[in-house]
RNA sequence: GCGCCCAUCGUCUAUCGGACAGGACAUCAGGUUUUCAUCCUGGUAAGGGGGGUUCGACUCCCCCUGGGCGCGCCA
């Protein structure tokens, strides 16, 4: 019995990844199987080794432990898809040769137009129109040899329906005409998710694919690939999606989604993992507080319920408090030190604080904001001398967007970001910075901003920007709805598209 | 627009045809505590609507409604 979690390192480690990982690990452990970590870094533009490092760090912190993975190896490696390109190439060649896939020469412009037209016509069948599907192989070869760029697409049956089983839901039927002629190999020679995922799951002998519900509608693509290759498909089990309070799929807009945020904000890993294990799952004995070890001991995958659970920060906080209370004082001291109350962390702060200290006792209040999660300040502080409240809200939003793009979270890079914003927004850097000072430090009188943000860390810093915007919104000064949309398009034009 | 998935307290959930529908978080009230927190006691609070099946439906079936997800050379 083998399970896997297959995240792509394209951003800060997501809580949803940890959620899925935990259930995969639980299932493997419970049945004496193996649990694999595979890095799906086939998107060259968005993947980064930095994010992979962060991902592994975050999962380990939470208590996720894989038996095979890029960092520890295993019998079915490599476990990083960017190192398996020739494997995908061979497999896709085979598919083309056998007729299950075909080269497509359509330009992205044509595809875009096609999509636009279909959207306008509200066509019931969306997706690729199959223009290149009928090109003869001789003709295709000629065009490839002539140097035309192309992708490889999957040939999908025109009629009938795909029938497959989901462990929780039973039989699922999806009409084939709903399934796009999926690109399997991009023009850069990299595979897409669907191809790489199926090939690897087979080669890595994955027996149970436990993943998020968002994959149900593309499962037919995977089922088809298994059958084209003549492989036995694994058992599918689609977990419910973690939700925001408004029921939409968990997103950083409305919730902290970075695992590292929870670590830095002072959540205990065992409290977070415990809480995550309760999302859509319950033990038969009804106990809610239990360790990962206990989870793995008697995990019963069929006790998973399907309603999308709302991620409730309140209950998580209460769990966290319980875990903290059950620590002995000595253990708590240790935990605090492992967190931020340690010399290494102080050493980073001291150079900033020292010139500003009159007495030693000034240090703690001065640095307190570097240990907190949410800060207490008033809307007026945030607005500062400006009369233009909307402008402040916009600045914070733009700052958030720009900062989210930053990979190297260090002071000089942060300074560049704000300088860029000041230039584009045509305001003095100093006045542009005011709301950020308050959002990050809790006051306009504080330690230097960029250094503080660097020390605070990416996830907590970004979170504070969101807190500030929430406060503004609650006071009626926020940017939302249509205005937000307009701001976003203006932002994308002025600053370059995001993601 | 098309397809698919889902549906019990505000939230996470138990129930797998017969119970006053249970627990947890939140909330309210009371008690312990020099304050607060903890802790203890108690309370409010739920099966979306309509049809079936059945002696009997939260539970099984159908329809409606509602919510979600998907429809990229992203995963």
């Amino acid at each position: 019995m083998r399970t896997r979690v297959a995240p792509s390192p394209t951003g800060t480690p997501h809580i949803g990844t940890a959620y899925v990982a935990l259930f995969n690990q639980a299932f493997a452990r419970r049945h004496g199987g193996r649990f694999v970590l595979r890095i799906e870094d086939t998107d060259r533009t968005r993947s980064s080794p930095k994010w992979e490092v962060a991902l592994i760090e975050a999962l380990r912190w939470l208590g996720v432990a894989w038996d095979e993975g890029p960092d520890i190896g295993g019998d079915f490696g490599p476990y990083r898809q960017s190192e398996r390109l020739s494997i995908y190439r061979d497999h896709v060649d085979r598919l083309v040769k056998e007729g299950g896939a075909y080269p497509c020469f359509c330009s992205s412009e044509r595809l875009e137009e096609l999509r636009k037209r279909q959207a306008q016509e509200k066509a019931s069948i969306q997706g690729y129109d199959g223009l290149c599907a009928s090109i003869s192989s001789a003709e295709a070869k000629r065009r490839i040899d002539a140097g035309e760029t192309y992708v490889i697409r999957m040939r999908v049956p025109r009629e009938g329906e795909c029938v497959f089983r989901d462990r929780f839901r039973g039989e699922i039927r999806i009409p084939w005409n709903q399934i796009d002629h999926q690109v399997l190999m991009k023009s850069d020679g990299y595979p897409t998710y669907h191809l790489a995922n199926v090939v690897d799951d087979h080669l890595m002998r994955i027996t149970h694919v436990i993943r998020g519900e968002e994959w149900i509608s593309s499962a037919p693509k995977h089922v088809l690939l298994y059958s084209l290759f003549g492989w036995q498909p694994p058992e599918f089990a689609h977990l419910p999606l973690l939700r925001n309070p408004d029921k939409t799929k968990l997103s950083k807009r409305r919730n902290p989604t970075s695992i590292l945020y929870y670590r830095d904000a002072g959540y205990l890993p065992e409290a977070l993992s415990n809480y995550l294990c309760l999302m859509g799952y319950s033990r038969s004995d009804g106990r809610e507080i239990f360790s990962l070890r206990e989870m793995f001991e008697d995990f019963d995958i069929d006790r998973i319920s399907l309603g999308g659970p709302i991620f409730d920060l309140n209950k998580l906080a209460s769990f966290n408090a319980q875990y903290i209370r059950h620590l002995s004082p000595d253990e708590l001291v240790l935990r605090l030190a492992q967190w931020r109350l340690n010399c290494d962390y102080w050493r980073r702060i001291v150079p900033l604080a020292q010139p500003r200290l009159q007495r030693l006792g000034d240090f703690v209040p001065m640095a307190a904001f570097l240990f907190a999660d949410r800060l207490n300040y008033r809307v007026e502080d945030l607005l500062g001398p400006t009369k233009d409240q909307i402008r402040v809200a916009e600045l914070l939003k733009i700052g958030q967007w720009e900062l989210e793009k930053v990979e190297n979270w260090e002071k000089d890079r942060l300074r560049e970001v704000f300088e860029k914003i000041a230039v584009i927004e045509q305001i003095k850097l100093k006045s542009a910075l005011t709301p950020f000072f308050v959002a990050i430090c809790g006051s306009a009188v504080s330690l230097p901003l960029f250094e503080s943000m660097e020390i605070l860390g990416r996830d907590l810093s970004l979170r504070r920007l969101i807190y500030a915007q929430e406060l503004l919104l609650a006071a009626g000064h926020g940017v939302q709805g249509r205005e937000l949309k307009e701001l976003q398009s203006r932002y994308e034009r002025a600053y370059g598209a995001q993601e």
Side-chain angles (χ1 to χ4, degrees):
Chain A
M1 209 157 262
R2 293 169 59 84
T3 63
R4 49 72 169 178
V5 65
S8 76
T10 55
T12 193
H14 199 276
I15 197 82
T17 302
Y19 174 62
V20 172
L22 250 15
F23 282 89
N24 273 279
Q25 187 180 350
F27 189 70
R29 288 277 177 286
R30 169 68 180 77
H31 296 98
R34 305 210 12 123
F35 168 54
V36 177
L37 170 68
R38 182 174 70 228
I39 300 294
E40 308 224 325
D41 56 348
T42 55
D43 183 342
R44 285 162 101 181
T45 59
R46 293 200 304 149
S47 297
S48 144
K50 264 217 155 64
W51 291 130
E52 181 188 317
V53 170
L55 181 73
I56 287 179
E57 181 188 344
L59 290 177
R60 284 214 185 290
W61 170 77
L62 229 212
V64 177
W66 42 96
D67 305 302
E68 301 167 26
D71 54 336
I72 56 173
D75 294 341
F76 300 90
Y79 293 91
R80 204 175 277 118
Q81 290 186 327
S82 58
E83 295 167 14
R84 302 170 62 82
L85 299 179
S86 64
I87 297 175
Y88 310 125
R89 170 53 69 188
D90 290 348
H91 281 84
V92 95
D93 282 351
R94 187 183 137 194
L95 241 36
V96 171
K97 205 167 299 165
E98 293 169 358
Y102 61 90
C104 167
F105 302 91
C106 292
S107 67
S108 46
E109 290 75 38
R110 182 176 116 74
L111 296 175
E112 207 169 301
E113 205 154 294
L114 183 67
R115 260 192 293 274
K116 222 163 75 187
R117 206 178 60 225
Q118 288 172 341
Q120 257 170 17
E121 290 170 356
K122 303 194 169 178
S124 65
I125 296 174
Q126 307 235 336
Y128 187 61
D129 58 2
L131 181 69
C132 294
S134 53
I135 293 176
S136 72
S137 57
E139 165 80 357
K141 185 176 184 316
R142 192 188 58 72
R143 291 175 71 170
I144 291 171
D145 290 344
E148 270 192 66
T149 62
Y150 66 99
V151 300
I152 304 293
R153 283 183 187 274
M154 181 167 67
R155 211 182 285 276
V156 177
R158 286 163 188 232
E159 20 192 69
E161 53 186 15
C162 176
V163 184
F164 64 98
R165 276 193 68 77
D166 174 273
R167 169 98 180 208
F168 309 131
R169 284 160 263 256
E171 205 170 85
I172 294 177
R173 299 164 168 273
I174 296 177
W176 280 120
N177 66 21
Q178 291 295 321
I179 307 302
D180 198 7
H181 283 210
Q182 181 63 45
V183 170
L184 299 177
M185 185 72 77
K186 308 175 215 175
S187 56
D188 65 2
Y190 275 58
T192 58
Y193 166 84
H194 304 280
L195 198 244
N197 190 267
V198 164
V199 168
D200 285 347
D201 280 344
H202 176 257
L203 261 22
M204 294 180 182
R205 313 268 167 86
I206 301 303
T207 58
H208 297 258
V209 168
I210 305 168
R211 54 163 26 165
E213 195 179 19
E214 75 235 78
W215 294 108
I216 290 181
S217 31
S218 46
K221 293 172 185 172
H222 309 149
V223 171
L224 179 58
L225 282 171
Y226 280 103
S227 99
L228 287 174
F229 283 122
W231 296 336
Q232 158 110 39
E235 178 167 319
F236 294 104
H238 291 93
L239 260 18
L241 253 29
L242 262 24
R243 312 282 189 95
N244 296 313
D246 67 0
K247 296 269 192 188
T248 53
K249 178 163 88 165
L250 195 69
S251 68
K252 66 184 173 203
R253 288 270 179 281
R254 293 204 36 93
N255 247 303
T257 55
S258 167
I259 302 169
L260 265 10
Y261 159 80
Y262 291 93
R263 183 194 63 186
D264 294 345
Y267 290 88
L268 266 30
E270 59 269 41
L272 180 55
S273 61
N274 187 166
Y275 180 66
L276 247 17
C277 286
L278 248 32
M279 305 262 67
Y281 182 70
S282 65
R283 295 168 56 94
S284 55
D285 64 11
R287 273 177 58 210
E288 292 200 332
I289 301 282
F290 51 83
S291 67
L292 241 30
R293 219 195 73 239
E294 291 171 302
M295 168 81 170
F296 299 161
E297 253 166 34
D298 61 2
F299 177 64
D300 176 3
I301 196 173
D302 295 311
R303 288 189 59 84
I304 286 174
S305 63
L306 297 179
I310 291 171
F311 192 86
D312 181 10
L313 279 168
N314 233 328
K315 184 155 178 172
L316 170 61
S318 144
F319 269 46
N320 201 55
Q322 284 190 60
Y323 272 94
I324 287 178
R325 267 182 254 124
H326 287 143
L327 257 23
S328 74
D330 280 344
E331 283 168 338
L332 181 53
V333 167
L334 200 66
R335 292 308 196 90
L336 286 165
Q338 285 169 346
W339 177 64
R340 294 197 141 169
L341 285 178
N342 58 59
C343 290
D344 286 343
Y345 196 63
W346 292 328
R347 247 192 288 274
R348 300 173 64 188
I349 306 170
V350 159
L352 309 179
Q354 193 168 11
R356 297 170 170 82
L357 292 179
Q358 289 190 310
R359 292 163 297 263
L360 297 179
D362 297 335
F363 179 78
V364 168
M366 196 175 283
F369 75 94
L370 291 167
F371 295 85
D373 173 17
R374 185 164 211 155
L375 268 20
N376 276 315
Y377 51 81
R378 297 164 312 159
V379 199
E380 300 85 76
D381 301 331
L382 209 51
L383 298 173
T386 343
K387 301 263 188 303
D388 197 345
Q389 298 144 347
I390 298 301
R391 190 71 182 132
V392 169
E394 286 179 355
L395 274 175
L396 285 167
K397 187 44 107 182
I398 289 170
Q400 182 200 329
W401 284 333
E402 274 299 278
L403 257 9
E404 278 170 357
K405 293 197 277 196
V406 172
E407 233 182 83
N408 288 321
W409 195 263
E410 47 90 23
K411 62 178 192 302
D412 293 327
R413 182 73 191 87
L414 298 171
R415 185 203 325 281
E416 286 170 25
V417 168
F418 285 103
E419 281 167 352
K420 178 181 175 189
I421 292 175
V423 169
I424 295 180
E425 300 303 314
Q426 297 179 313
I427 43 172
K428 287 212 203 91
L429 181 61
K430 192 183 154 106
S431 49
L433 253 26
T434 307
F436 292 94
F437 257 106
V438 177
I440 299 291
C441 309
S443 161
V445 182
S446 181
L447 302 183
L449 180 62
F450 309 136
E451 284 86 343
S452 295
M453 287 176 73
E454 183 185 315
I455 292 170
L456 235 203
R458 177 196 163 88
D459 295 300
L460 227 36
S461 300
L462 251 17
R463 194 65 212 157
R464 287 203 186 158
L465 259 30
I466 290 175
Y467 285 144
Q469 291 171 65
E470 282 176 4
L471 189 68
L472 237 33
L473 205 60
H477 306 311
V479 182
Q480 58 177 333
R482 240 177 72 106
E483 287 160 357
L484 182 61
K485 275 229 158 79
E486 281 166 19
L487 178 68
Q488 186 165 5
S489 60
R490 201 190 56 174
Y491 163 76
E492 279 167 8
R493 261 177 281 123
Y495 292 78
Q498 191 192 17
E499 290 188 324

